[in-house]
Amino acid sequence: MAIEQFVFRHIGPRNGDIKTMLGTVGASSLDALIEETIPSDIRLEKDLDLPKALSEYEYFTKIKGIASKNKLFRTFIGQGYYDTITPAVIQRNVLENPGWYTPYTPYQAEVSQGRLEALLNFQTMVLDLTKMELANSSLLDEATAVGESMYMMQALRSRAKKKAGANQFFVDEKVFAHTLDVLTTRAIPLGIELIIGDFKTFEFNENVFGAIVQYPASDGSIQDYSEFVERAHKAEALVSVSADLMSLVLLTPPGEWEADIVVGTTQRFGIPMGYGGPHAAYMACREAYKRNIPGRIIGVSKDAQGNSALRLALQTREQHIKREKATSNICTAQALLATMAGFYGVYHGQEGLKRIATHIHSAASMLSEALKDLGYQQKIDNFFDTLQIEIPAGVSVEDIRKAALKAEFNFNYSNKSTIGISVDEKISSTELSAIVSIFAKALGENETSIDTIEEMISFDSKFVRESEFLSLDVFKRYRSETAMMRYIKSLEKKDIGLNTSMISLGSCTMKLNAAVEMLPISWPEIGGIHPFVPIDQALGYQEIIQDLEKWLSVITGFSACTLQPNSGAAGEYTGLMVIRQYHVSRGDSHRNVVLIPASAHGTNPASTTMAGMNVVIVNCDENGNVEFADLKSKAEKHKENLCAYMITYPSTHGVFETGIREMMNLIHENGGQVYMDGANMNAQVGLTNPGTIGADVCHLNLHKTFAIPHGGGGPGVGPICVAEHLSQFLPTHKVVATGGDNGITAVAAAPYGSASVLPITYGYIAMLGAEGLKEVTKMAILNANYLASSFEKLGFKILYKGAKGRVGHEMIFDCREFNKSVGITDTDIAKRLMDYGFHAPTLSFPVHGTLMVEPTESEPLEEMDRFVEALAKINAEMKEIEDGVADVKDNVLKNAPHTHLVMTSDDWNHSYTRKKAAYPLTWVADNKFWPSVGRVNDAFGDRNLMCSCASLNVYKEECIDAD
């Protein structure tokens, strides 16, 4: 294999290694292993119809050319998207740093303290700016965050309103159009009636449970909502506010006028527009709602030594616990972008944010005055950054549009007589002069020159913020680049990422995010494009999008694709809504039953409930396969109302079930559609696909199978691909034409979701081509079977296998016997692996008391052998307990992980040596990773919920140990 081929760089094992691995597995060849793994009746008969693979250099040249087709105009469209300045120290040390973009969601707190602290900073910043009591650590985007707040308010209805069936939700007419679009999608399946009107004149009644207002409004006006909130509360209704976080630096925060929930985006905090995303949304609320807020919350607890430690609180993987009763299907958030936004707050602090916000508002104020001096009417009296300029008689909006485009400016053309202009932090006096000159020339006046932007506040004094924010030390300490760089590095060192060692998480596919795929993300041609610019300014993006939609359709065996869903769970929801609309179009709106195997991801039933459907669980047999007789019985029982069957393939147990086509036929015979969860597509690509198998729709986790980084818990992209009969129902968008002819309304704020990370997947497919993609899948299956065989040789039991004794791309090994024999749990093994420098595998999912392992195709043989050796040593450590050599309670497994503080303490009262604890194998010492905290006490953290970054001394004083 030629070294210049990308596939050679992407795959871990070298050619000589493959023979060794096949020997361990007991397969005569790689093709023979695949024959024993994937049922022959679903194998593809020919290679995928994709362009020839490019080398890394060829791809870099190609993507440079594509990016150059995007036109970098200065955009003042606003509507939730604004140009911003990403501090170079954050771009270089976070966005472009695999230490930050490759780690997994911080479920294993002991090896995630850096990201947890960064996200706690984010939460604290949001709380300070909104003046609320509790915040989560990000949601997907502003529009879907508004949708989540609507669900929250519905769940929080008073007993009387629930009894009365209150189902009306008020939406002020001045929310963003795309937000209303998403709200419409979210409301329909749950029977929520949206009432759109003017908040000033709206009268609450007993059927209204909640309301949403925009602050500032979509036309830029700053409104006084305090009396409206008071009226809502008197009527036992809650109020959510979609607030521009940057404006809250200067404006009275919603928490101070008694708002119940505040949501929005943190895009203005150093995150490029990126043609729509990804950007971290935020949500803050009253503490009383802590059991209802969706997404992740970073909380403070303590470790085994009593030291303060951070962790995910309350909602940790709640979908897998509550399933269809979960408050949300949110799984992936926008952790990487939230981290960057939090660092933006840390770097600038209160004084820096005030300077930026004042600069924005002052520029807008000067522009307003200059245009009024010319004779234009500025329709908004109180504004932060957005003006509405009414065009006088004799002046054409079209003429101004043409002049603006010639000057390479984009404005928001609200209607035939009004132009909206939204100012951002990049605005200069030169640009202000150019904008005013465009309007002057339209009147036949001379060009205008503005020399400086003078500081001023032009909105009513009653809106002026008086409260302090970002007063904690972390937001004051890091002003120089040196200090900031070192702070970022200090947090990075506390976490395990793919740049540290293998992350063996099953079901999560922690694969290589190749550097050449990542490079374009930082380019201004990719980051600097507003999602609502004219299409001819985004021809590069359009080429990427159109190619990707075609390629992903080919890979899945389907006819059409939408890239709009911005997470895997959002893809699930979108697929179900498309299926729902298909049934509605056929007069079958009564079809509302979805069959889901007991082994399914927890987001499946949660998404089903959000889509207004009823979940019926299908049993699995002792081998982990769907129990066909039970599926048949339930499909036939519900055939009059059967909507869909959701199946993950290969299964969540890591097995290619042989009866999959029979299942497809059964569902279709009973009037349903088949939704295939694409979580495990890493075992399908190039060898089989959902279309060939017989499914109707699937979602793809681009952050798993197609190389977009996990980023510590996001960004994710969850496009769906559909069969031809469903293509007309793909989601549309209110602002940019997209989707099918009879498409559902939008599922995300931006028409193409998280567009700026699409070049990563684009590069992955372009550089692998059909042959490379197939090779990658084969190696993923070989690596998994190599580990499975190696584990079995150690005496570990692999819980589920296929008909011919093979696993797919992942496997589950049983730890329950160890608990019975020596009192060691799957958690003990996972924490002990940290002492060896490894992130824990997936714990107790989908089977309690087990570990799920997926090595991915990119791990070299040497790394997998180290992992096997670590487990062999752990096995020996368990044997020591069984033989009475090691103490049942005071042993290296129960006390793991061992921190540097523990190891260097003057007190050492354990029955084993320090060397055994810290350096159990010789090679561990060569590149030792030190967990920064000991085993975290989860229960303590939930009993003493603290979710902002006060002084650690405060935590120690306020926490009451309930043990």
Side-chain angles (χ1 to χ4, degrees):
M1 186 180 292
I3 289 178
E4 66 269 15
Q5 288 184 300
F6 175 73
V7 66
F8 183 88
R9 300 296 191 186
H10 179 81
I11 287 174
R14 304 295 84 192
N15 289 338
D17 300 331
I18 294 173
K19 184 176 180 181
T20 301
M21 295 166 67
L22 288 169
T24 300
V25 168
S28 59
S29 67
L30 191 51
D31 287 337
L33 173 63
I34 300 304
E35 291 292 337
E36 294 171 359
T37 305
I38 303 177
S40 58
D41 65 329
I42 61 169
R43 289 286 302 277
L44 297 180
E45 295 180 356
K46 57 182 181 180
D47 286 344
L48 299 171
D49 183 15
L50 295 171
K52 181 183 176 183
L54 302 175
S55 69
E56 292 189 34
Y57 176 75
E58 289 170 333
Y59 171 69
F60 187 79
T61 303
K62 179 182 176 68
I63 197 66
K64 262 289 188 186
I66 292 174
S68 69
K69 296 177 184 178
N70 292 332
K71 297 177 182 176
L72 271 177
F73 285 18
R74 279 292 278 127
T75 298
F76 303 101
I77 294 172
Q79 301 299 292
Y81 301 94
Y82 310 86
D83 216 343
T84 183
I85 299 169
T86 306
V89 66
I90 296 174
Q91 175 177 314
R92 185 71 165 173
N93 293 287
V94 181
L95 180 62
E96 298 173 350
N97 182 354
W100 283 98
Y101 66 69
T102 67
Y104 183 56
T105 307
Y107 293 126
Q108 295 298 319
E110 297 84 357
V111 292
S112 307
Q113 289 295 298
R115 275 166 298 129
L116 287 166
E117 181 173 330
L119 292 172
L120 190 67
N121 292 341
F122 172 87
Q123 286 179 186
T124 305
M125 179 181 75
V126 168
L127 287 177
D128 276 10
L129 289 169
T130 61
K131 282 300 177 186
M132 299 302 287
E133 298 168 337
L134 180 71
N136 67 19
S137 63
S138 80
L139 291 174
L140 296 174
D141 63 31
E142 181 171 2
T144 55
V146 171
E148 294 290 341
S149 75
M150 178 175 70
Y151 288 169
M152 258 185 86
M153 288 183 276
Q154 184 188 42
L156 289 165
R157 287 175 297 177
S158 66
R159 185 173 299 177
K161 283 192 180 287
K162 285 180 180 177
K163 188 174 181 180
N167 71 333
Q168 292 181 341
F169 185 73
F170 174 74
V171 183
D172 185 67
E173 60 193 5
K174 290 183 179 178
V175 304
F176 293 139
H178 47 285
T179 295
L180 177 58
D181 211 11
V182 172
L183 269 178
T184 302
T185 310
R186 293 291 187 102
I188 290 172
L190 297 188
I192 297 173
E193 180 186 352
L194 299 183
I195 301 174
I196 303 163
D198 185 346
F199 81 94
K200 295 175 184 175
T201 58
F202 178 70
E203 295 293 334
F204 285 90
N205 61 62
E206 65 276 7
N207 290 320
V208 179
F209 65 83
I212 177 73
V213 292
Q214 193 92 38
Y215 184 66
S218 61
D219 63 0
S221 61
I222 303 169
Q223 301 289 346
D224 184 352
Y225 295 117
S226 56
E227 189 269 338
F228 173 76
V229 172
E230 187 176 344
R231 283 191 285 121
H233 289 167
K234 284 182 179 177
E236 293 189 326
L238 302 179
V239 177
S240 177
V241 180
S242 187
D244 179 339
L245 202 64
M246 184 60 77
S247 76
L248 299 187
V249 172
L250 301 183
L251 300 180
T252 306
E256 293 181 2
W257 34 268
E258 302 302 320
D260 300 291
I261 303 170
V262 187
V263 297
T265 175
T266 57
Q267 184 265 313
R268 298 190 91 152
F269 283 57
I271 313 301
M273 292 182 289
Y275 207 39
H279 309 130
Y282 71 86
M283 175 179 277
C285 65
R286 300 178 187 273
E287 188 173 4
Y289 308 154
K290 63 187 178 185
R291 297 287 172 179
N292 295 87
I293 187 171
R296 303 174 184 133
I297 303 171
I298 311 304
V300 182
S301 186
K302 64 178 184 178
D303 70 4
Q305 287 74 47
N307 299 310
S308 293
L310 305 178
R311 58 181 283 276
L312 288 176
L314 297 179
Q315 305 294 100
T316 302
R317 290 196 134 166
E318 69 145 13
Q319 297 89 2
H320 297 300
I321 301 167
K322 298 180 182 177
R323 300 177 75 77
E324 69 273 15
K325 292 183 173 62
T327 58
S328 167
N329 74 339
I330 293 293
C331 186
T332 301
Q334 301 287 18
L336 181 65
L337 296 312
T339 294
M340 290 175 64
F343 280 138
Y344 183 94
V346 168
Y347 197 42
H348 289 298
Q350 180 181 147
E351 69 276 18
L353 292 185
K354 282 184 175 179
R355 175 184 53 77
I356 293 166
T358 302
H359 174 75
I360 292 169
H361 175 66
S362 299
S365 298
M366 292 187 69
L367 180 58
S368 176
E369 293 303 313
L371 293 178
K372 284 192 287 187
D373 288 345
L374 286 171
Y376 289 92
Q377 182 183 352
Q378 211 288 86
K379 296 167 67 174
I380 308 300
D381 293 327
N382 291 294
F383 57 87
F384 169 62
D385 63 2
T386 297
L387 314 178
Q388 296 295 331
I389 310 302
E390 188 166 328
I391 305 304
V395 177
S396 163
V397 168
E398 182 60 20
D399 287 343
I400 292 180
R401 189 184 73 85
K402 288 179 180 177
L405 289 175
K406 186 176 180 180
E408 299 190 345
F409 289 154
N410 290 315
F411 302 140
N412 184 23
Y413 301 97
S414 310
N415 54 53
K416 292 182 179 179
S417 63
T418 307
I419 297 175
I421 304 175
S422 295
V423 173
D424 57 46
E425 72 166 301
K426 286 186 175 180
I427 193 77
S428 66
S429 58
T430 302
E431 288 177 334
L432 280 184
S433 299
I435 293 170
V436 175
S437 294
I438 289 170
F439 285 85
K441 286 181 181 178
L443 291 172
E445 301 286 342
N446 294 327
E447 292 186 8
T448 301
S449 177
I450 297 175
D451 297 327
T452 59
I453 297 175
E454 299 174 1
E455 186 174 314
M456 60 190 299
I457 298 292
S458 61
F459 50 77
D460 194 295
S461 60
K462 70 177 181 179
F463 296 116
V464 174
R465 179 179 188 131
E466 296 180 352
S467 54
E468 291 293 302
F469 58 93
L470 304 190
S471 57
L472 295 175
D473 186 55
V474 70
F475 296 106
K476 296 179 176 179
R477 189 186 300 173
Y478 307 107
R479 290 293 176 270
S480 73
E481 180 167 331
T482 300
M484 189 67 189
M485 174 181 65
R486 288 173 181 164
Y487 177 57
I488 292 171
K489 185 65 177 180
S490 72
L491 298 189
E492 178 195 341
K493 290 190 296 185
K494 296 179 180 181
D495 292 6
I496 287 181
L498 282 176
N499 62 336
T500 309
S501 57
M502 176 171 72
I503 300 178
S504 63
L505 288 151
S507 188
C508 290
T509 315
M510 297 294 296
K511 69 196 299 166
L512 171 70
N513 317 120
V516 70
E517 296 160 359
M518 297 296 296
L519 288 174
I521 303 308
S522 300
W523 296 347
E525 298 93 334
I526 297 298
I529 310 295
H530 191 287
F532 303 154
V533 298
I535 291 295
D536 66 0
Q537 292 179 28
L539 294 180
Y541 261 120
Q542 288 297 315
E543 182 174 341
I544 291 170
I545 288 163
Q546 290 165 19
D547 282 350
L548 265 185
E549 287 177 348
K550 179 182 177 182
W551 295 350
L552 293 175
S553 295
V554 168
I555 287 167
T556 56
F558 285 130
S559 297
C561 172
T562 176
L563 298 167
Q564 195 176 111
N566 44 16
S567 80
E572 291 174 14
Y573 174 73
T574 305
L576 289 169
M577 290 297 288
V578 165
I579 289 173
R580 178 188 180 279
Q581 194 60 31
Y582 165 76
H583 287 308
V584 168
S585 74
R586 294 161 55 88
D588 289 340
S589 56
H590 60 281
R591 291 189 174 273
N592 66 348
V593 171
V594 178
L595 305 179
I596 302 178
S599 63
H601 291 90
T603 51
N604 285 182
S607 297
T608 300
T609 301
M610 282 176 56
M613 301 171 189
N614 298 321
V615 176
V616 174
I617 299 298
V618 179
N619 296 330
C620 292
D621 61 24
E622 61 182 11
N623 295 317
N625 299 320
V626 172
E627 199 172 88
F628 187 79
D630 190 52
L631 176 65
K632 188 173 189 295
S633 170
K634 287 168 179 171
E636 292 174 350
K637 177 182 177 181
H638 296 284
K639 66 180 180 180
E640 298 303 321
N641 296 308
L642 183 61
C643 174
Y645 172 48
M646 295 187 83
I647 178 76
T648 301
Y649 197 76
S651 73
T652 312
H653 293 139
V655 172
F656 283 92
E657 299 180 44
T658 55
I660 187 68
R661 272 196 164 159
E662 194 177 359
M663 295 183 211
M664 308 288 111
N665 294 336
L666 173 68
I667 300 304
H668 291 145
E669 288 166 4
N670 287 280
Q673 295 284 285
V674 176
Y675 178 97
M676 183 170 285
D677 185 315
N680 293 340
M681 277 296 294
N682 209 43
Q684 281 196 41
V685 177
L687 300 178
T688 184
N689 61 41
T692 298
I693 293 168
D696 301 289
V697 55
C698 79
H699 87 266
L700 300 169
N701 295 90
L702 298 192
H703 53 288
K704 291 163 70 169
T705 303
F706 294 95
I708 288 176
H710 279 68
V717 182
I720 64 167
C721 298
V722 298
E724 186 174 1
H725 64 282
L726 296 178
S727 60
Q728 63 176 302
F729 306 112
L730 291 175
T732 56
H733 194 274
K734 186 71 74 176
V735 183
V736 178
T738 187
D741 294 336
N742 298 299
I744 62 173
T745 44
V747 296
Y752 305 106
S754 295
S756 70
V757 292
L758 294 179
I760 302 169
T761 294
Y762 189 83
Y764 177 80
I765 297 173
M767 290 185 289
L768 285 173
E771 190 60 38
L773 287 169
K774 184 166 65 174
E775 191 70 17
V776 161
T777 307
K778 288 180 179 180
M779 291 306 301
I781 291 171
L782 173 60
N783 279 7
N785 278 277
Y786 175 74
L787 284 187
S789 297
S790 299
F791 294 159
E792 285 184 313
K793 288 178 171 60
L794 296 176
F796 291 103
K797 178 184 177 183
I798 303 300
L799 209 51
Y800 304 114
K801 295 181 181 180
K804 296 183 180 179
R806 301 301 185 190
V807 299
H809 65 310
E810 62 190 6
M811 85 260 4
I812 298 171
F813 66 86
D814 200 348
C815 303
R816 291 170 293 189
E817 287 302 315
F818 306 132
N819 196 9
K820 292 177 185 177
S821 61
V822 294
I824 295 300
T825 66
D826 55 333
T827 299
D828 295 327
I829 296 172
K831 303 303 182 187
R832 180 57 173 156
L833 276 168
M834 297 175 188
D835 285 331
Y836 291 80
F838 288 110
H839 192 287
T842 303
L843 270 77
S844 287
F845 174 79
V847 181
H848 184 71
T850 65
L851 294 172
M852 180 189 267
V853 172
E854 178 181 355
T856 85
E857 69 280 355
S858 295
E859 291 302 336
L861 178 59
E862 294 85 353
E863 183 74 351
M864 289 187 288
D865 283 345
R866 277 191 288 271
F867 190 71
V868 171
E869 190 179 0
L871 279 172
K873 187 68 173 178
I874 289 172
N875 201 24
E877 291 167 351
M878 288 191 288
K879 186 72 167 55
E880 290 175 349
I881 301 170
E882 186 177 12
D883 294 342
V885 175
D887 188 82
V888 174
K889 293 183 178 179
D890 182 34
N891 57 68
V892 287
L893 286 113
K894 286 294 182 185
N895 293 331
H898 297 81
T899 67
H900 190 268
L901 285 175
V902 168
M903 298 308 300
T904 57
S905 171
D906 291 338
D907 297 320
W908 183 262
N909 301 314
H910 299 297
S911 56
Y912 51 90
T913 66
R914 295 177 196 255
K915 182 179 180 181
K916 184 180 183 71
Y919 304 114
L921 291 169
T922 304
W923 51 261
V924 174
D926 294 338
N927 189 29
K928 176 68 178 177
F929 174 86
W930 289 102
S932 55
V933 297
R935 194 174 302 195
V936 175
N937 187 329
D938 291 330
F940 177 86
D942 280 349
R943 287 193 300 268
N944 302 276
L945 185 63
M946 296 185 186
C947 301
S948 62
C949 50
S951 161
L952 293 181
N953 290 327
V954 172
Y955 295 132
K956 291 175 182 176
E957 291 167 7
E958 293 186 359
C959 286
I960 301 171
D961 194 340
D963 292 344

